Amino acid sequence: QVQLVESGGGLVQAGGSLRLSCAASGGTFSSYVMGWFRQAPGKEREFVSVINWSDGSTAYADAVKGRSTISRDNAKNTVYLQMNSLKPEDTAVYYCAARARGSAWTQGYWGQGTQVTVSS
């Protein structure tokens, strides 16, 4: 059973940084795509970033491009999201997700989320 556990959220001032972690277990992740999504109060969940575990290729939402870096540690089965120059509009619950290549996110696995709050 695949499990994803996020950590690293918290309260930070605008302009600050946070590094979110997603510890994955219960699967062979070399064939997976790992993603970060976020959901702000009253808004729908939105894509933030994605990394292909096998080759490390990445993609970012325009809202975070240039301010965030997604990476993975194969030995620790952990995916990170480094977020810099944080803005109040980055405030949201951040979710880690995993899906097999070729499948939809709705068919994948999701963590419980970690709260990120950016104060102005």
Side-chain angles (χ1 to χ4, degrees), residues 45-93:
R45 192 172 298 189
E46 65 176 5
F47 165 77
V48 176
S49 184
V50 66
I51 186 166
N52 188 323
W53 202 292
S54 61
D55 64 8
S57 57
T58 61
Y60 298 90
D62 287 344
V64 304
K65 195 175 294 181
R67 300 188 294 123
S68 298
T69 303
I70 190 171
S71 61
R72 78 217 188 286
D73 184 325
N74 292 339
K76 296 182 179 179
N77 268 3
T78 299
V79 174
Y80 303 98
L81 183 67
Q82 176 70 42
M83 300 190 295
N84 302 320
S85 302
L86 283 162
K87 306 174 182 179
E89 51 263 45
D90 292 318
T91 295
V93 177

Side-chain angles (χ1 to χ4, degrees), residues 8-51:
L11 173 64
V12 64
Q13 288 189 331
S17 298
L18 281 175
R19 188 177 79 157
L20 306 183
S21 299
C22 172
S25 61
T28 304
F29 296 99
S30 57
S31 62
Y32 274 68
V33 179
M34 307 294 294
W36 286 97
F37 293 75
R38 67 186 183 185
Q39 187 166 19
K43 295 188 176 181
E44 297 201 350
R45 192 172 298 189
E46 65 176 5
F47 165 77
V48 176
S49 184
V50 66
I51 186 166

